Amino acid sequence: MDALDRVVKPKTKRAKRFLEKREPKLKENTKNAMLIKGGNANLTVTEVLKDIYAVKKPFAVLYKKKNITRPFEDQTSLEFFSKKSDCSLFLFGSHNKKRPNNLIIGRMFDYHVLDMIELGIEKFVSLKDVKNSKCPEGTKPMLIFAGDMFDVNEEYRRLKSLLIDFFRGPSVPSIRLAGLEYVLHFTAVDGKIYMRSYKVLLKKSGCKIPRIELEEMGPSLDLVMRRTHLASDDLYKLSLKQPKALKPKKKKNISHDVFGTTYGRIHMQKQDLGKLQTRKMKGLKKRPAEKSAEDGGVSPKKSKSAS
């Protein structure tokens, strides 16, 4: 039996739309995240998953039932849930005596685990504990990373990339000032990662540019890094590969300087400056001697006619 004959074709229009949505595209859909509760998750881990789900909505799926699995030992269940819910990001919460209040954040490539990092929760303040106004659901956050570790250490650099993937939200062609109302701040210092979230308040300043104030919104987390499972350099480069159709085409004879100014080079035929039309003035007129020199010699004087 041929492999093409084994492909299950959709029988209904709904199934056809479902399969078309999951087909490979030049511009992929916004990455969805699945939030999974482990078999021994406690109240703190459950509340963290609920708050992250509230921040990530509508691009998230929260599994309320407990799932007995260990991602660092066996990844098959995560890959099954990823394919079932079409999610390329995941956050797994668990709790035990050896690793209390545990979070595992990771991402998939082709429905297989690419990399994941284990984080321990040392302090947690939930959304409901902070009695301030909240941002609307689906607000795209501004991400800020502070600390040299995010640029120096490879594990922290990969964690930064993972957090950007997880919280960045949809890609937008343009923004407006009123839409910049949510900030997620990550600080790496003394072996810990501090996550804080703020609401941006635009105050009157007496000019066009408003005065900015940050009001803590929640949730806030104090995290410490534990185990890591990072993809190899070759697999990581393969996951970053873009199709040729998305790569910008090189334009000839165009260059840019450090300030972003575009310069273009134009190719022209060599111009004879001797034939250039100039302003007609008495002072610029050529003398008879100059004209004869250009013609190749002295013109003979006119002979007088014999009388």
Side-chain angles (χ1 to χ4, degrees):
M1 190 177 180
D2 192 20
L4 293 173
D5 297 331
R6 292 197 300 267
V7 176
V8 180
K9 294 183 179 180
K11 296 180 181 179
T12 62
K13 289 184 177 180
R14 185 180 178 185
K16 187 178 180 181
R17 288 196 303 268
F18 178 79
L19 291 176
E20 284 176 353
K21 190 178 178 182
R22 292 199 175 191
E23 281 180 355
K25 304 176 183 67
L26 285 176
K27 290 186 179 180
E28 291 291 341
N29 303 329
T30 304
K31 292 183 179 181
N32 292 325
M34 53 183 183
L35 292 89
I36 303 171
K37 188 163 54 173
N40 48 359
N42 60 358
L43 183 62
T44 302
V45 171
T46 305
E47 289 297 318
V48 169
L49 292 176
K50 284 183 180 178
D51 282 8
I52 299 295
Y53 174 67
V55 169
K56 182 70 180 164
K57 282 194 301 186
F59 305 105
V61 177
L62 178 63
Y63 288 95
K64 295 182 180 179
K65 291 184 179 180
K66 292 185 176 182
N67 297 277
I68 302 171
T69 182
R70 295 176 180 176
F72 276 88
E73 283 76 30
D74 184 18
Q75 300 163 4
T76 53
S77 58
L78 283 177
E79 292 169 356
F80 169 76
F81 285 126
S82 170
K83 199 165 188 178
K84 183 181 179 182
S85 56
D86 193 23
C87 293
S88 55
L89 302 164
F90 68 88
L91 185 66
F92 179 85
S94 62
H95 173 78
N96 54 46
K97 188 176 180 181
K98 189 176 181 181
R99 295 182 182 87
N101 300 329
N102 204 46
L103 290 176
I104 299 173
I105 185 171
R107 55 189 164 189
M108 302 284 184
F109 174 62
D110 195 20
Y111 300 114
H112 295 287
V113 174
L114 180 67
D115 47 15
M116 54 185 175
I117 295 176
E118 191 176 59
L119 302 168
I121 305 168
E122 293 193 341
K123 187 181 177 182
F124 168 61
V125 180
S126 68
L127 272 166
K128 61 184 180 182
D129 292 337
V130 181
K131 307 297 181 183
N132 289 329
S133 59
K134 314 300 180 187
C135 290
E137 179 185 318
T139 304
K140 185 177 171 67
M142 294 179 283
L143 303 177
I144 302 174
F145 291 87
D148 295 335
M149 294 297 289
F150 284 125
D151 300 317
V152 175
N153 189 288
E154 179 60 29
E155 290 181 343
Y156 278 83
R157 194 184 297 123
R158 197 66 67 89
L159 175 63
K160 178 182 176 181
S161 171
L162 226 166
L163 291 170
I164 291 172
D165 251 6
F166 198 90
F167 291 105
R168 69 185 301 175
S171 299
V172 292
S174 58
I175 57 173
R176 62 188 182 95
L177 184 61
L180 302 175
E181 54 179 334
Y182 182 33
V183 173
L184 274 176
H185 193 284
F186 298 93
T187 306
V189 61
D190 298 331
K192 293 183 181 180
I193 301 105
Y194 299 95
M195 173 185 165
R196 299 291 183 267
S197 56
Y198 303 97
K199 184 176 181 180
V200 178
L201 303 177
L202 305 177
K203 302 285 187 177
K204 291 182 179 179
S205 63
C207 61
K208 285 185 177 181
I209 301 173
R211 181 168 55 87
I212 305 297
E213 286 188 6
L214 297 180
E215 184 181 69
E216 191 167 356
M217 190 183 75
S220 69
L221 291 161
D222 293 358
L223 304 166
V224 61
M225 191 180 290
R226 289 174 179 167
R227 292 180 294 176
T228 59
H229 171 83
L230 304 180
S232 62
D233 293 337
D234 295 335
L235 183 60
Y236 189 65
K237 285 179 182 177
L238 182 64
S239 67
L240 297 175
K241 191 175 180 181
Q242 289 186 339
K244 290 182 179 179
L246 283 180
K247 292 180 180 178
K249 294 181 179 179
K250 292 183 179 179
K251 295 182 180 179
K252 294 181 179 179
N253 306 320
I254 290 179
S255 60
H256 302 273
D257 62 5
V258 292
F259 301 106
T261 309
T262 305
Y263 295 97
R265 179 179 292 178
I266 300 173
H267 296 277
M268 296 177 64
Q269 292 181 351
K270 194 172 181 181
Q271 192 174 7
D272 186 4
L273 299 178
K275 296 179 180 179
L276 190 67
Q277 180 66 45
T278 57
R279 189 176 177 187
K280 294 181 179 179
M281 290 174 61
K282 283 187 177 182
L284 296 175
K285 282 185 178 180
K286 293 181 180 178
R287 296 176 183 178
E290 291 176 357
K291 285 184 181 180
S292 60
E294 285 181 1
D295 294 338
V298 182
S299 58
K301 292 182 181 180
K302 292 179 181 180
S303 58
K304 292 181 180 181
S305 57
S307 54

